[in-house]
Amino acid sequence: MIRLLGPVVRGVLLLVAVLLPSAWPAGLARPDLVLLVVAGVALLHPPPVGLLVGLAGGWLVDVVPPGAAPLGAGALVYAAVGLGLGAVRRHLVLSPVLPWVATGVAAALVLGVRGVAAAAGAGRALPAELAWTLAMTMLVAVLVLPVVMRLERWMTRRGWA
């Protein structure tokens, strides 16, 4: 029963991360909060955990309105990001800045896929919008990533994750 609390907390975090940008002021670039939750979990756990959290987050992004144009594309991208961040997590202890750099690379990858999909006719994404979204994601990451990682460490110490 206690082991179930970690996945439930992650699910609630992902749901909040998907729904919160809809309350973001109009005209401002929206940060990718789902990516920050996936990164915070994947940077502390083995690759399969990052993959599963990324897959769940991507499915939520794909399904919750307005959703993604090709259903499942977001799930694949976030799953790949979670898997990749989980795979490099051991190397990121060399510097306290490297988790943010890895998160920035992951955000660029997600937004790059979104841009390629828009260029192929699936959805709409302007290059300036993507650049502002990347900038906002990295600004918000300074605050959100340590909080998510601290919560993950706390749940791991208690045996919940």
Side-chain angles (χ1 to χ4, degrees):
M1 174 80 169
I2 295 288
R3 280 301 253 174
L4 220 64
L5 285 174
V8 168
V9 168
R10 289 183 195 127
V12 168
L13 282 175
L14 286 171
L15 190 60
V16 168
V18 168
L19 295 176
L20 191 61
S22 63
W24 203 259
L28 290 177
R30 295 176 177 174
D32 191 348
L33 299 176
V34 174
L35 174 78
L36 298 179
V37 173
V38 170
V41 173
L43 289 170
L44 294 175
H45 295 288
V49 175
L51 175 101
L52 290 175
V53 172
L55 192 62
W59 278 334
L60 283 172
V61 167
D62 286 345
V63 172
V64 172
L71 190 63
L76 288 175
V77 172
Y78 285 104
V81 163
L83 183 68
L85 288 174
V88 300
R89 78 184 197 290
R90 289 192 177 120
H91 303 290
L92 298 179
V93 297
L94 300 174
S95 168
V97 177
L98 286 178
W100 278 283
V101 172
T103 302
V105 170
L109 175 70
V110 169
L111 294 173
V113 169
R114 193 173 298 158
V116 168
R124 181 181 160 269
L126 301 172
E129 275 181 16
L130 295 174
W132 277 110
T133 300
L134 178 62
M136 285 299 295
T137 300
M138 293 317 298
L139 283 174
V140 173
V142 172
L143 300 172
V144 173
L145 198 59
V147 171
V148 172
M149 290 176 77
R150 186 169 292 145
L151 177 64
E152 277 297 315
R153 283 187 187 111
W154 182 75
M155 288 192 307
T156 302
R157 277 195 307 267
R158 291 197 172 273
W160 295 356

